[in-house]
Amino acid sequence: MGFQSRRISPSSGAEMTGIDLREPLDNNQFAAIRQAWNDADGLLVIRDQNISPEQHIAFSRRFGVLQRGEVSQGSLLSQYYLPRHPEIYRVSNKKKDGVPQGREDAGTYWHSDGSWKPAPPMASLLLAREIPPYGGDTMFADLYRAYETLSDRMKDILTPMRAVHSLAKAQETTSYGKDLVGQSNAVVDRYASHPIIRTHPETGRKSLFVNRGFTDNIEGLAPAESDAFLEFLFTHSSRPEILYRHQWRLHDLVIWDNRCTMHYAVADYKQAGDRYMHRTTVRGDAPF
Ligand code: OGA
Ligand code: MN
């Protein structure tokens, strides 16, 4: 297969064509995809992948071990996993006989998937199976550039700092959290502390690892200090200059790196039509 890859943004983002993920990939081909993904600063759009759940799962497994539906934790979120394929999380506004066909309003705030976990997922692969005629874009922020565009003095100040990411923060401020209210404490009490400046294990580059959805406070600061610092970092890391806004085409497979990007689902499309997406999630190493 001859892959073509081209940059689509000054921030994270490249597009790949000439691949058919219905066919098995050899190790060299997969290595080329992984390299293109890293070269694109953690965001790769692969066009025209009309693939089955099995093919989506098989390709995703090349990146690592997949997260599975957390049915055993009694979470309401478990209903969104694809029956018989707990590796696939469904994101959709559709309902069939009153039953949601996926999580509605998933990620309608800046976040890096599962950053409240001690070992956040390293990557997510989202496949567009049905899209509205317009709207329903996803925005991505380049967290390498967020780090690189800080002053040297600010980089030094942030380097020893850690922040707490929590589901409780999401619960207060996002619909994701609201779905979890009243669920078992095992689910709602989860949080993790992570360095604010994170080094990517594959590229060796540093990124700014905070997000408005899940990052609650900076360790060791007084609340007012923490709030002011985080407000600056949230604004800095979502400036238009470091964003790419993805306008979905049917059968786009978008692979993002949760270690160096964050994203925001723009929930503006429901008047325009239905949206139905399948996501696989690759587990990360703990701790970093
Ligand atoms: C996700 C997510 C974004 C979207 O699946 O993790 O945030 O645009 N989705 O659906
Ligand atoms: Mn997400």
Side-chain angles (χ1 to χ4, degrees):
M1 275 189 273
F3 306 162
Q4 293 88 48
S5 172
R6 91 182 163 95
R7 196 88 194 189
I8 51 175
S9 170
S11 303
S12 305
E15 171 197 72
M16 216 178 222
T17 51
I19 306 185
D20 183 351
L21 295 177
R22 292 172 301 191
E23 306 291 334
L25 293 172
D26 66 31
N27 287 342
N28 288 337
Q29 289 170 319
F30 181 70
I33 293 173
R34 194 155 190 153
Q35 186 66 46
W37 184 51
N38 282 328
D39 290 348
D41 303 326
L43 182 65
L44 190 63
V45 177
I46 307 185
R47 304 285 188 189
D48 305 314
Q49 302 306 313
N50 186 7
I51 53 176
S52 66
E54 289 82 1
Q55 289 159 342
H56 185 180
I57 291 167
F59 175 63
S60 303
R61 283 207 171 112
R62 304 294 290 269
F63 288 86
V65 178
L66 302 188
Q67 205 169 282
R68 293 165 66 94
E70 300 181 344
V71 180
S72 60
Q73 285 150 358
S75 164
L76 268 183
L77 295 175
S78 60
Q79 66 181 302
Y80 304 124
Y81 288 90
L82 189 64
R84 293 184 301 283
H85 291 292
E87 297 87 355
I88 290 187
Y89 184 66
R90 297 174 297 168
V91 174
S92 186
N93 61 314
K94 291 177 67 168
K95 287 195 170 64
K96 202 189 267 172
D97 304 324
V99 179
Q101 296 302 292
R103 175 78 170 81
E104 185 168 13
D105 292 334
T108 54
Y109 46 88
W110 283 110
H111 69 287
S112 168
D113 290 330
S115 75
W116 48 272
K117 298 183 181 196
M122 68 110 149
S124 305
L125 297 91
L126 190 64
L127 177 67
R129 299 183 68 96
E130 196 174 331
I131 53 167
Y134 44 79
D137 296 352
T138 309
M139 299 196 295
F140 293 89
D142 179 341
L143 299 181
Y144 288 134
R145 269 177 193 72
Y147 170 76
E148 288 159 6
T149 52
L150 293 166
S151 65
D152 288 344
R153 179 61 62 87
M154 184 56 97
K155 288 176 187 161
D156 288 344
I157 292 170
L158 293 173
T159 294
M161 291 180 147
R162 301 179 67 87
V164 175
H165 298 233
S166 76
L167 258 187
K169 167 84 189 277
Q171 221 173 35
E172 285 159 23
T173 55
T174 73
S175 57
Y176 177 48
K178 289 189 180 75
D179 246 17
L180 297 167
V181 172
Q183 295 298 298
S184 72
N185 289 340
V187 173
V188 297
D189 289 346
R190 286 206 224 150
Y191 64 93
S193 158
H194 301 301
I196 289 180
I197 307 300
R198 171 169 199 183
T199 302
H200 193 289
E202 293 177 48
T203 64
R205 293 172 64 197
K206 291 179 178 169
S207 65
L208 179 61
F209 194 70
V210 292
N211 62 77
R212 194 182 284 278
F214 299 138
T215 310
D216 187 66
N217 64 83
I218 298 179
E219 288 180 12
L221 296 190
E225 295 169 342
S226 173
D227 289 350
F229 245 87
L230 284 178
E231 191 57 38
F232 162 70
L233 294 177
F234 295 154
T235 304
H236 176 79
S237 59
S238 57
R239 284 171 301 127
E241 288 76 13
I242 60 168
L243 303 190
Y244 164 70
R245 182 167 175 143
H246 186 64
Q247 202 176 344
W248 291 89
R249 295 187 204 156
L250 189 64
H251 302 143
D252 278 350
L253 177 67
V254 175
I255 311 171
W256 64 80
D257 190 328
N258 288 306
R259 302 166 294 185
C260 58
T261 66
M262 64 177 180
H263 55 283
Y264 184 119
V266 184
D268 59 355
Y269 61 89
K270 289 171 206 166
Q271 306 300 320
D274 285 339
R275 186 174 186 268
Y276 179 67
M277 321 288 275
H278 277 183
R279 192 189 82 191
T280 55
T281 315
V282 185
R283 294 213 318 231
D285 301 323
F288 57 84

